Amino acid sequence: MNQRNTFISGMVAITFLIISCSKFEPEAPDDDNILDGPVSGLTHEQNRQFLAGDVAFNNEIFTPATGLGPIFVATSCGSCHAGDGKGTPFTTLVRFGQTDSTGNKYLHLGGPQLQNRAIPGFKTEVIPNGATSSKFTPPANTGLGFLELVSDEDILSMSDPEDSNGDGISGVPSFGYLPEFITPNSNAVVKNGKYIHRFGKKAAAYNLLHQTVNAYNQDMGITSTFTPHDVYSGHTIDPEVSDKTVRDVVFYLQTLKAPIQRDSGNPINVQGKNLFSQINCSGCHTPQLKTGFSPVSVLSNKTIYPYTDMLLHDMGNDLDDGYTEGFAKTSEWRTPALWGLGLSPNSQGGQYFLMHDGRAKSIDEAIMMHGGEAKLSKDKFNLLNESEKSAIIHFLKSL
């Protein structure tokens, strides 16, 4: 009898401790307050591949024993995209050597990307004399799978090369050649052998496979069957990452959920959204797009709100670094998506590092740096009263 009472008393104490301790556990953040996580509705097998890609992206730290280097920028994918958000000045990379559409003249001297770190016994790269360069802050990853599925026809419908509507905006798609390992989409628009690219600061990558393969090779010095050339020696070497891992990471990026706007019905956010359109920020940061067909049904034929047209725009002299990629001009940058903007400080040390190189320390600063095709909207922003400006900033932080 005594043993029974002792057992019951013990179980009561353990239950009490579990309940008490659970009160001190941090609550899980709401889904609209984090950028990572899969799109809902994946099948069991799709979730399995998502998790495999998540592990490869965030947990796999390369070392010299697993192929790192000898020169590199980062040791893992996740080190530049904490929580799948934007990077910081510490993770900002440098590209150099191309000044026009005739190509990069410094490939034999380490271009296009500066590998600024090296394993022991090796020297890091330096920018060659005479080469122009530009810094690129890592972008957020979320929602990329949806952007990959916007049709070429829809991207072309938003372009206006001759500014025929007279709004001062003349965005153009980034046409480029495909590497051999890329198979174009069945509905792709081709122009003189070139296809519309959409990822990267200057839209130099065709799709997420292209972007991922380049990141393995240029950011970490990791070879694959897709890019077997070592960035240090230039020699073809055995793959250091498997095709399966690369494709798992691509699937992970494709199926990360889209950022969720917070408090969209708040009157100040509604006012800010309306003002955003009235001063034609939406001329480049297109609020609403739609996806085409995808074998992943939860991505297929969806309406999305990324606030980008995925076109190249001339952003003026102040943002002209004298460096370019593909066929973009040195002053042209692809419109970045604004969804997730309000959560950017979570991965940037509690503050903002915006624009292509993180030079803007606030949304206000970023707006003031807009020139070229965006100058007219910036001028209209400056004519607003302080309450109206605040409403736009409030709205942007809700995205």
Side-chain angles (χ1 to χ4, degrees):
M1 187 65 177
N2 288 337
Q3 287 182 337
R4 182 173 179 272
N5 287 340
T6 300
F7 175 77
I8 293 173
S9 298
M11 290 303 294
V12 170
I14 291 171
T15 303
F16 176 77
L17 284 172
I18 292 174
I19 293 173
S20 298
C21 291
S22 66
K23 293 180 179 178
F24 296 100
E25 293 177 354
E27 293 184 2
D30 293 334
D31 207 30
D32 59 2
N33 273 309
I34 55 174
L35 290 175
D36 58 355
V39 62
S40 61
L42 295 178
T43 66
H44 175 75
E45 181 59 25
Q46 289 166 346
N47 264 314
R48 187 207 58 76
Q49 188 172 11
F50 176 89
L51 290 173
D54 191 349
V55 170
F57 189 93
N58 291 299
N59 297 359
E60 186 169 8
I61 311 297
F62 287 99
T63 67
T66 56
L68 180 70
I71 53 176
F72 60 96
V73 177
T75 59
S76 70
C77 303
S79 61
C80 290
H81 305 273
D84 291 306
K86 294 180 186 291
T88 68
F90 182 75
T91 57
T92 293
L93 55 85
V94 177
R95 291 183 180 155
F96 64 89
Q98 184 174 340
T99 58
D100 55 36
S101 61
T102 60
N104 196 312
K105 305 298 190 297
Y106 291 83
L107 294 179
H108 65 296
L109 295 175
Q113 187 159 304
L114 182 74
Q115 273 78 40
N116 62 339
R117 297 182 176 90
I119 64 175
F122 292 86
K123 293 182 178 179
T124 62
E125 288 183 335
V126 295
I127 299 176
N129 290 333
T132 60
S133 64
S134 186
K135 296 178 179 178
F136 288 8
T137 299
N141 298 325
T142 49
L144 296 182
F146 291 99
L147 295 179
E148 189 177 52
L149 292 169
V150 176
S151 72
D152 285 2
E153 285 188 357
D154 282 354
I155 293 176
L156 282 169
S157 72
M158 294 181 281
S159 69
D160 187 12
E162 306 301 326
D163 189 20
S164 57
N165 63 4
D167 66 352
I169 298 172
S170 53
V172 295
S174 173
F175 278 96
Y177 295 112
L178 298 183
E180 291 182 358
F181 61 84
I182 294 291
T183 301
N185 298 328
S186 58
N187 61 351
V189 173
V190 58
K191 181 178 179 181
N192 299 323
K194 294 182 287 189
Y195 293 82
I196 295 176
H197 289 34
R198 62 187 68 196
F199 293 114
K201 305 290 184 179
K202 286 181 175 287
Y206 178 72
N207 60 13
L208 291 173
L209 175 61
H210 192 183
Q211 182 75 19
T212 300
V213 167
N214 283 353
Y216 267 112
N217 187 249
Q218 292 294 314
D219 295 353
M220 293 173 282
I222 299 297
T223 58
S224 63
T225 61
F226 306 104
T227 51
H229 305 294
D230 179 66
V231 294
Y232 177 73
S233 67
H235 297 156
T236 298
I237 63 175
D238 291 340
E240 295 164 327
V241 63
S242 70
D243 287 9
K244 177 184 180 303
T245 296
V246 172
R247 294 194 183 283
D248 284 345
V249 168
V250 171
F251 189 82
Y252 170 73
L253 295 172
Q254 288 172 329
T255 51
L256 279 168
K257 76 176 194 295
I260 303 167
Q261 186 181 3
R262 296 163 306 288
D263 211 9
S264 59
N266 186 315
I268 193 171
N269 288 334
V270 174
Q271 180 192 14
K273 181 180 180 180
N274 291 335
L275 288 167
F276 183 83
S277 294
Q278 288 174 23
I279 65 175
N280 204 27
C281 299
S282 56
C284 299
H285 292 285
T286 305
Q288 179 178 314
L289 300 174
K290 65 179 185 293
T291 67
F293 169 78
S294 169
V296 181
S297 61
V298 292
L299 302 177
S300 195
N301 301 311
K302 301 296 183 185
T303 299
I304 57 175
Y305 303 92
Y307 291 87
T308 175
D309 57 9
M310 293 187 285
L311 297 171
L312 295 170
H313 294 276
D314 184 343
M315 294 299 291
N317 293 334
D318 290 345
L319 294 178
D320 185 343
D321 293 349
Y323 170 80
T324 194
E325 294 178 339
F327 293 86
K329 297 174 183 175
T330 54
S331 62
E332 287 182 329
W333 300 93
R334 190 217 59 181
T335 308
L338 296 181
W339 58 8
L341 179 61
L343 301 181
S344 294
N346 292 353
S347 61
Q348 297 188 307
Q351 68 175 88
Y352 280 109
F353 295 98
L354 302 176
M355 307 305 285
H356 65 275
D357 56 359
R359 69 179 71 177
K361 305 303 186 296
S362 68
I363 295 175
D364 304 70
E365 277 190 27
I367 293 173
M368 291 303 101
M369 290 176 183
H370 280 57
E373 297 176 38
K375 183 179 182 304
L376 186 57
S377 290
K378 180 182 71 175
D379 292 344
K380 289 180 178 178
F381 178 84
N382 282 327
L383 292 175
L384 299 175
N385 62 43
E386 291 305 313
S387 175
E388 292 170 327
K389 290 178 183 177
S390 178
I392 290 181
I393 302 299
H394 204 280
F395 159 67
L396 291 172
K397 287 184 176 179
S398 77
L399 296 178

